[in-house]
Amino acid sequence: KWAKPRIVANVKNVKLQLISIWSESNYLCFRASELAFSLDPLPLNEIPPAPELTEEDARDLDALCLAKSYFDLKEYDRAAYFLRGCRSQKAYFLYMYSRYLSGEKKKDDETVDSLGPLEKGQVRNEALRELRVELSKKHSAGELDGFALYLYGVVLRKLDLLKEAVEIFVAATHALPLHWGSWLELCNLITNIEMLKSLSLPECWVRDFFMAHMFTELQMIKEALQKYQSLMEAGFAKSTYIISQIAVAYHNIRDIDQALYLFNELREQDPFRIENMDTFSNLLYVRSMKPELSYLAHNLVEIDKYRVETCCVIGNYYSLRSQHEKAALYFQRALKLNPRCLGAWTLMGHEYMEMKNTSAAIQAYRHAIEVNKRDYRAWYGLGQTYEILKMPFYSLYYYRKAHQLRPNDSRMLVALGECYEKLSQQVEAKKCYWRAYSVGDVERMALLKLAKLHEQLNEFDDAAQCYIIYIQDIFSCGEQLEHAEVSTALRYLGQYYFKNKLYDEASLCAQRCCDYNDAREEGKALLRQISAVREQGEPSSTDLSVPCVFNPLSNNTTPVRRVSPLDLSSVTP
């Protein structure tokens, strides 16, 4: 159902539609022009003519052209003044849109100096209520076109009338399906897949772009990639927008290599692009690629240093250099430019965490959630903050929220397990750790924590089983010398085998302990103990049930399996 593309077979018709919508309102259809550019050009005789003017359009043409000039100069009050009394739909929309942007500009001007970015999101646009009343009357009379419906939805969303806003944005997509702004606003209001299925959306090719975008937002990455692949095969293979969205999708599932490759390819095709470069900088930050991040930051400053993405990239660069005060300053600058910048709120919360300013971090993360309740990073950050404040019940609530958004992310599960441990709910903790290992443990810590928990509960056989699987996983990836906790596992297994009189296996573990500085002395001591026991003639045990049944969840639903003692003889560090 989800993967089936609705895109029309004739790509030429799509190109014609894109050109028409762009020529009708070029100041709102940036995405249309970008998609049109990715398609093959049309011959001169097939380019659509300019739309015919109605009598109302002709009467308002002079005022509309003048107001459009003032609008482009961001003189919104001046533009609105000369559109008073105009009756055409284009003029009415530009009149109302100018008034809306004028209120937004005044709101920002009033708060930029008097308040910090943390308080900025609390200030309202004073024109919103008046605009709502006027647009509501027009809507009741059925006099709003697709652009005006979009503006009405934005006003309702700004007033936190979210249910009504969803209805209006759906109506806007029906009235003008090619206006991407309406789809994007609708995307920000959809909270789950059930809500998405319940909406009655128009059957057109733009819906495929919307569904792909929604799948990415809802962390349904497999479905998103299938949808984007269908769009590329349908004729949008050259679209830089699709390439960027696929890169973002890979970023969301932490396929860092593939995401970096796609972003580098995107930079080659569109070297002056700023959009999505903040996500690219997140990947460079995770990989600690300081020279590449520095080059990206300098390059974006040369292009436009007053863009939100540029400020976020510079913030990431300073954060990687551990200059957290400077990093927070640039994230604040990003928020002055756009108070609804989700990434800046979350990243600023991270920086406040680094500076041990937990109250500011909590406030930043809460603002991020206000912007987008689907941002798992903000929920996870709140959980970490309350964990630092030793408030495990609060942490548990926020980690659960993050886990609901990312059910297959091992980091959320490990964090939940740690909270349950602190709340003495060991059974739940064991479930979380085992689930984290099952879905693919990113940080390779779940089995280790599970083993230590079994050890604390005197479940020695289960602890040994966890340590065995942990060491086998580490050795199979060739990371054993870099992973400090391997020595902990080897120490435990050495003592475990010794107590169970499996002296050959104990000896192998003790020898491997000697490869690690923190376990060398204990390894040597165990080897001496084994030698002393063997000199006394005590035979090794032949009990094949050691380690015994591994049952991490302590219930009958867990698969039961026997594993032979760890064979380290063929493993070379």
Side-chain angles (χ1 to χ4, degrees):
K1 176 183 178 182
W2 296 119
K4 183 180 177 182
R6 294 183 180 81
I7 197 161
V8 293
N10 190 348
V11 178
K12 187 183 294 184
N13 289 340
V14 175
K15 178 92 171 185
L16 290 170
Q17 293 176 37
L18 289 169
I19 293 174
S20 297
I21 190 67
W22 180 81
S23 60
E24 185 177 341
S25 186
N26 55 21
Y27 49 89
L28 278 178
C29 293
F30 156 72
R31 191 65 69 203
S33 58
E34 193 176 36
L35 291 174
F37 180 78
S38 69
L39 300 174
D40 294 333
L42 296 173
L44 179 62
N45 62 337
E46 293 184 10
I47 294 177
E52 293 184 8
L53 295 177
T54 64
E55 189 174 331
E56 287 182 342
D57 290 334
R59 191 184 308 116
D60 296 341
L61 183 61
D62 293 335
L64 185 62
C65 290
L66 179 63
K68 179 65 169 60
S69 300
Y70 293 143
F71 183 91
D72 292 340
L73 294 170
K74 298 185 178 181
E75 297 184 23
Y76 302 122
D77 287 327
R78 200 175 181 190
Y81 177 79
F82 285 97
L83 289 170
R84 294 172 302 120
C86 291
R87 292 190 170 186
S88 66
Q89 289 187 325
K90 287 183 181 178
Y92 178 74
F93 168 72
L94 190 58
Y95 169 65
M96 299 298 283
Y97 196 46
S98 297
R99 289 172 60 190
Y100 165 74
L101 289 179
S102 172
E104 289 293 296
K105 186 173 183 294
K106 288 172 183 175
K107 179 192 75 171
D108 291 344
D109 290 345
E110 288 172 5
T111 58
V112 71
D113 295 322
S114 59
L115 296 174
L118 292 174
E119 293 81 17
K120 186 175 181 180
Q122 301 170 5
V123 182
R124 292 281 187 183
N125 178 348
E126 296 297 331
L128 291 177
R129 298 188 184 280
E130 190 176 338
L131 289 172
R132 182 202 169 195
V133 171
E134 295 182 33
L135 287 167
S136 178
K137 290 178 181 177
K138 287 274 188 178
H139 177 57
S140 300
E143 298 177 3
L144 296 183
D145 64 356
F147 290 118
L149 283 169
Y150 158 75
L151 177 58
Y152 186 27
V154 170
V155 170
L156 291 172
R157 194 255 300 161
K158 287 274 187 177
L159 292 170
D160 294 326
L161 300 170
L162 303 185
K163 185 178 179 181
E164 294 90 335
V166 170
E167 294 174 0
I168 296 300
F169 284 129
V170 170
T173 61
H174 281 276
L176 191 63
L178 268 68
H179 181 212
W180 182 243
S182 299
W183 294 96
L184 206 56
E185 287 286 348
L186 187 59
C187 171
N188 293 331
L189 297 175
I190 294 173
T191 54
N192 52 55
I193 190 66
E194 288 74 22
M195 182 177 178
L196 177 61
K197 290 178 180 178
S198 69
L199 297 178
S200 175
L201 300 172
E203 295 287 339
C204 68
W205 61 267
V206 185
R207 179 171 174 168
D208 280 304
F209 283 88
F210 170 73
M211 294 302 292
H213 189 86
M214 272 311 316
F215 288 146
T216 304
E217 289 291 310
L218 294 172
Q219 306 300 323
M220 299 169 64
I221 305 302
K222 182 180 177 182
E223 291 83 354
L225 292 174
Q226 288 176 350
K227 197 61 107 168
Y228 283 126
Q229 186 62 37
S230 298
L231 289 166
M232 293 184 80
E233 292 171 358
F236 288 98
K238 298 178 183 177
S239 170
T240 53
Y241 166 74
I242 291 181
I243 294 173
S244 68
Q245 291 303 107
I246 294 174
V248 169
Y250 279 118
H251 163 268
N252 287 356
I253 58 172
R254 296 178 68 83
D255 189 342
I256 298 176
D257 292 330
Q258 186 65 22
L260 284 172
Y261 170 77
L262 288 169
F263 272 119
N264 283 318
E265 183 179 318
L266 185 65
R267 294 264 295 163
E268 288 182 11
Q269 293 187 28
D270 192 356
F272 293 94
R273 182 188 183 95
I274 295 181
E275 187 181 9
N276 300 122
M277 288 301 106
D278 51 337
T279 305
F280 184 29
S281 74
N282 292 341
L283 295 165
L284 297 175
Y285 178 92
V286 169
R287 280 291 170 87
S288 299
M289 300 170 72
K290 194 178 293 185
E292 292 84 350
L293 185 52
S294 174
Y295 175 78
L296 178 64
H298 281 90
N299 183 236
L300 294 185
V301 167
E302 290 178 3
I303 298 170
D304 187 352
K305 65 180 179 180
Y306 295 113
R307 280 282 293 271
V308 171
E309 295 89 342
T310 302
C311 294
C312 289
V313 171
I314 297 172
N316 273 336
Y317 170 69
Y318 281 119
S319 181
L320 189 57
R321 295 183 59 182
S322 299
Q323 294 179 260
H324 301 296
E325 291 81 3
K326 277 191 175 182
L329 176 64
Y330 276 95
F331 293 134
Q332 288 173 4
R333 288 186 183 180
L335 291 166
K336 285 181 179 179
L337 294 168
N338 180 11
R340 289 185 60 80
C341 178
L342 176 64
W345 282 118
T346 306
L347 292 170
M348 191 162 72
H350 295 343
E351 295 310 310
Y352 282 133
M353 284 279 286
E354 293 289 344
M355 293 186 283
K356 313 299 182 188
N357 189 348
T358 52
S359 60
I362 289 171
Q363 207 169 357
Y365 289 137
R366 289 191 186 280
H367 276 292
I369 291 168
E370 286 176 12
V371 173
N372 187 350
K373 288 182 171 60
R374 296 190 306 269
D375 182 26
Y376 76 93
R377 297 171 302 170
W379 292 107
Y380 184 68
L382 280 170
Q384 287 182 311
T385 309
Y386 282 110
E387 194 171 0
I388 289 172
L389 294 172
K390 302 188 186 304
M391 301 171 73
F393 280 107
Y394 281 71
S395 294
L396 186 62
Y397 171 79
Y398 292 114
Y399 283 143
R400 277 177 175 167
K401 287 284 190 180
H403 171 59
Q404 288 170 6
L405 294 167
R406 300 269 291 192
N408 293 323
D409 193 322
S410 63
R411 295 168 299 167
M412 314 302 151
L413 288 159
V414 169
L416 274 172
E418 290 174 341
C419 272
Y420 282 125
E421 266 199 84
K422 290 173 183 174
L423 295 169
S424 300
Q425 298 184 35
Q426 282 83 2
V427 173
E428 297 299 322
K430 286 191 280 187
K431 287 180 181 179
C432 289
Y433 291 142
W434 181 246
R435 172 68 178 161
Y437 170 71
S438 301
V439 299
D441 187 13
V442 174
E443 297 173 335
R444 300 188 183 279
M445 294 298 292
L447 274 177
L448 196 65
K449 291 181 177 294
L450 182 56
K452 290 179 178 179
L453 181 56
H454 282 308
E455 198 176 341
Q456 292 169 14
L457 297 172
N458 297 326
E459 298 169 352
F460 303 116
D461 294 333
D462 288 346
Q465 182 69 78
C466 291
Y467 280 130
I468 288 171
I469 301 174
Y470 169 74
I471 289 180
Q472 287 173 340
D473 286 350
I474 296 296
F475 280 169
S476 67
C477 298
E479 299 178 359
Q480 66 272 19
L481 291 178
E482 289 78 13
H483 224 276
E485 295 288 355
V486 171
S487 59
T488 303
L490 288 170
R491 274 198 301 254
Y492 178 86
L493 286 172
Q495 293 294 337
Y496 173 80
Y497 285 133
F498 182 77
K499 290 175 183 176
N500 285 280
K501 299 183 180 180
L502 292 168
Y503 299 125
D504 292 339
E505 288 77 11
S507 179
L508 283 170
C509 289
Q511 290 171 27
R512 291 290 178 259
C513 283
C514 294
D515 295 330
Y516 301 89
N517 293 330
D518 60 334
R520 184 171 294 126
E521 293 305 318
E522 292 181 46
K524 289 178 179 178
L526 182 56
L527 285 172
R528 287 194 294 270
Q529 285 180 282
I530 295 169
S531 297
V533 169
R534 282 175 170 168
E535 286 174 4
Q536 295 173 6
E538 186 173 339
S540 293
S541 171
T542 57
D543 184 4
L544 295 179
S545 65
V546 178
C548 64
V549 177
F550 177 54
N551 188 1
L553 304 187
S554 300
N555 62 37
N556 296 328
T557 63
T558 307
V560 173
R561 60 186 178 132
R562 292 179 181 272
V563 179
S564 60
L566 177 61
D567 181 11
L568 292 176
S569 58
S570 61
V571 179
T572 304

